[in-house]
Amino acid sequence: MKTKTHSLLKKSVIFFCIIIVIALFASGISSYFYNVAHIKKNSASQAKAGAAAAAEVIEEEDFNAIQQSATGEPYIKARKILKSICQSFDLEYLYLYVPDAENGSVRYIMTVASDEEKDAVIATERGLNVTVSATISSQEMSAWEGNYDYSIYEENNSYGHVYSWFYAVKNSEGTSVALIGCDYRIDRLTSQVVEETLLILLPMCIALGFIVVLFIIFMNKKVFAPIKLISSRMNSFIDERQKNLQPLAIHSDDEIQGIANSFEKMSNDINTYIETNQKLLTESVQAKVQMDVASRIQCGIVPVELNQKEEGYTLYGFAKPAKEVGGDFYDAFPLANGQVCLFIGDVSGKGIGAALFMVMVKTMLKDGLLSGLSPATALNTVNDTICRSNPEGMFATIFVALYNPANGELTYANAGHTKPVLLGDIPAPLQVESGVAVGLFEDAGITDCTARLCQTGGILLYTDGVTEAIDRNKKFYGETRLLASVKGVQLAKDCVEKLNGSVAAFAGGCEQFDDYTVLALFRQTGGEQKYTFAPVLSELERLRQILFQVANETFDKKKVYLACEEVFVNIVSYAKANQIEVRVKEVGDHLRVTFVDDGLTFNPLQEQPSKKSFNEFQSGGMGLTLIAKLSTPSYTPNPNTLTLTFTPKKA
Amino acid sequence: MTIQKTLVNNTATLKLEGWLDTQTAPMLGNALQELESSVTALVFDFSELEYISSAGLRQIVAAHKKMNGNLTLQNVPDEIMDVFRMTGFDKHLNIV
């Protein structure tokens, strides 16, 4: 925004002019009045003196003789003398008259004027014995009585604006016989006053003007010009920043120099500040770019969402870093032996450092688990590796679990991580030792534990960002709410979404300061696993491996396999089948193994175990006995379907 | 499965280690056939036997026949014994 500015120089010139005008006006007024009073006094004394002189002259002459005739010698002589007095005292008119207060009239004897033309006129107009009616003033009365202590008489009539003075003419007895009046013209007086006033004011004016000019030149050089220079520097500060590094060309020792010095210091400070800021800005932009890259890499390493739905389980993971690069991590992946590995962890600290450490830990851990290490062994190995070189003293809490989809068994180990929740009818924290976070101590001695998920059970892994989510009162979400939120869920995605919804509702939009990571795995209910085999005996090894994996610890695995081996061998030996399908399913606490083949229709259960002698058993027949003893078999034809149901082993 | 054979006088002892099932039973069959004719008594040491199926049982019957009943089973683990019981072998064999 630009506002119109008025030059301080102009303003001060105007200011000084106004001051001078006021001063001149005031002194003019005062000197005018002084002069008026002064001149009035002078003219009064002049008039008094003139009147007195004239009165004296008339008294010396024969007053009666003068009055005889206007053409008589005494009259002419007296008139001549009066005229010379009038002229020498610089009076307008001088007149000799006799006032008659009783009749209110005046009888003139003679009147003279200094001016010849006026004198000629007045000689007849107010000549001898010219009587005019007039009011006799108090001054005239006072003079008649010989008292001259009166103020001057002012009159404005056809003969002009005049001051008048009166003096009495006395006879030899001392009685007043006539009055001498003399007029002094005021307009002449006024012009004189003005002239005298001007005479005083003019040099004063010139002197003041000179002082003002000198002052303005001084102010301009010492104040206005430097201020203008500083102002222009300020205006173009950013555009001509480099030029502004030059010192200001101001050389004095007063406040202006102080301002110039302060301005220079400020310029330098601002320049330094700008340079520092630009440097910081560049660095922060670089850091931002690096953080963005790190964030993208992290998203590749720790997926925001992980959704797996396989035979035997559903799995869902979700991560939401609080900052751009977080310290939480998780992963889930199948292993070659059919098990599923899942882990979750939280690295100490935040930002790039934590992310790097996280990547290292996660990579080592995954490598170990993929190579077949048990959860505890993998964690101990990672811990030992980190402890050998951990300059930043970082650590990570990790929980690792291996899940066997075939039988719902979990093998797990904990390195200081929040205990997961075992999800069933009533969700509860998984019983597990707390363990020690990896990176803290060598020989952490983490051990494996096992548990078994029930038919509709699952496990929920999470980081403390979940239980420590805060609402607007800074209250934690807590484990109780978590356990309540996941009650009754049976699918991993459902479980995570319910938990997320519950936490979001609790937080109510408050900003969260910790990473938030959850990973849920649910045993898939009602799932039947199918395996296909070629009808050859060499497939037995694979059958054994599968059954040992699928059958959980409640069953005598060798006995289960024994029955199944007998069935399989029978089919291979007699059915002439092209392939054998084996289905395995847990039904309640029973295990059901079904053999389906596309060979010749044959119901082995119709063949009653023969009452052979012992030695005849060499040709066989024991297989069926074993099957019937080890399980409850049932058969349906087309295709041949033999189902063996196993009960858990007796305690 | 591995078979360790020791011969003392005319008594042969076969120590079976591992799984005696459909696939390994022929090994035992071969071992029986290869027995010297001088052997008059046979002993099976099952202390290290982990598993037995009907194919294995048949080989035991074969051995029993071949030795004319002069067969002794020793150190039979419980889970093998279970199978013998199910099939009634325990009543026909000399198990010590």
Side-chain angles (χ1 to χ4, degrees), chain A residues 611-623:
Chain A
K611 300 287 179 191
K612 290 179 177 174
S613 72
F614 177 71
N615 282 341
E616 287 168 336
F617 277 137
Q618 193 183 355
S619 59
M622 289 162 296

Side-chain angles (χ1 to χ4, degrees), chain A residues 402-404 407-411 451-453 551-553 557:
Chain A
L402 291 181
Y403 171 69
N404 186 345
N407 58 17
E409 265 176 19
L410 279 174
T411 309
R452 189 164 165 266
L453 296 183
N552 65 58
E553 300 300 332
K557 294 183 181 185

Side-chain angles (χ1 to χ4, degrees), chain A residues 537-538 540 544 548 558-559 561-562 565-566 569 614-615 617-620 622 625-626 629-630, chain B residues 19 21-23 50-54 57-58 61-62 64-65 79 82-83 86-87 89 92-93:
Chain A
L537 292 179
S538 57
L540 278 171
R544 187 178 69 168
F548 267 59
K558 280 182 188 168
K559 300 265 163 67
Y561 173 63
L562 178 55
E565 182 188 331
E566 300 302 340
V569 171
F614 177 71
N615 282 341
F617 277 137
Q618 193 183 355
S619 59
M622 289 162 296
T625 308
L626 284 171
K629 293 264 183 186
L630 292 166
Chain B
W19 286 53
D21 58 17
T22 307
Q23 284 182 288
E50 292 175 40
Y51 174 91
I52 190 163
S53 72
S54 65
L57 294 176
R58 282 204 293 275
V61 174
H64 192 261
K65 268 166 90 174
E79 47 186 3
D82 280 348
V83 179
M86 285 178 213
T87 49
F89 270 41
H92 297 279
L93 291 171

Side-chain angles (χ1 to χ4, degrees), chain A residues 7-20:
Chain A
S7 152
L8 198 58
L9 184 64
K10 246 189 230 171
K11 277 183 182 172
S12 53
V13 167
I14 292 167
F15 175 75
F16 278 117
C17 288
I18 289 168
I19 293 286
I20 287 168

Side-chain angles (χ1 to χ4, degrees), chain A residues 380-441:
Chain A
N380 286 327
T381 310
V382 169
N383 181 57
D384 291 346
T385 312
I386 292 168
C387 282
R388 276 200 288 276
S389 172
N390 186 10
E392 294 294 318
M394 301 190 92
F395 60 92
T397 64
I398 311 171
F399 178 89
V400 185
L402 291 181
Y403 171 69
N404 186 345
N407 58 17
E409 265 176 19
L410 279 174
T411 309
Y412 56 88
N414 192 12
H417 196 78
T418 317
K419 285 180 186 175
V421 172
L422 205 55
L423 300 155
D425 291 337
I426 300 163
L430 181 69
Q431 295 303 309
V432 60
E433 273 183 42
S434 296
V436 182
V438 299
L440 290 179
F441 308 108

Side-chain angles (χ1 to χ4, degrees), chain A residues 198-303:
Chain A
L198 281 181
L199 216 62
I200 296 167
L201 289 185
L202 201 65
M204 219 168 104
C205 232
I206 291 166
L208 275 175
F210 190 64
I211 288 169
V212 166
V213 168
L214 277 183
F215 182 74
I216 283 168
I217 289 170
F218 173 80
M219 289 296 279
N220 192 38
K221 188 170 154 53
K222 289 287 177 188
V223 179
F224 303 138
I227 286 177
K228 226 168 152 182
L229 181 63
I230 292 170
S231 161
S232 78
R233 278 277 177 100
M234 282 175 168
N235 256 334
S236 58
F237 182 77
I238 293 300
D239 299 338
E240 300 176 20
R241 207 151 62 77
Q242 295 312 314
K243 207 163 116 188
N244 277 336
L245 292 173
Q246 304 298 320
L248 281 165
I250 295 171
H251 306 289
S252 68
D253 52 0
D254 50 23
E255 289 86 344
I256 295 296
Q257 184 67 56
I259 290 175
N261 291 345
S262 301
F263 175 73
E264 260 172 49
K265 187 175 180 302
M266 189 191 73
S267 309
N268 290 336
D269 288 351
I270 290 175
N271 278 332
T272 313
Y273 178 75
I274 289 172
E275 275 157 26
T276 313
N277 247 9
Q278 278 173 342
K279 215 166 127 192
L280 282 176
L281 187 68
T282 316
E283 281 169 7
S284 87
V285 165
Q286 283 172 347
K288 176 83 171 59
V289 169
Q290 285 173 348
M291 283 295 268
D292 286 348
V293 172
S295 184
R296 281 200 294 276
I297 291 172
Q298 192 189 29
C299 282
I301 295 163
V302 180

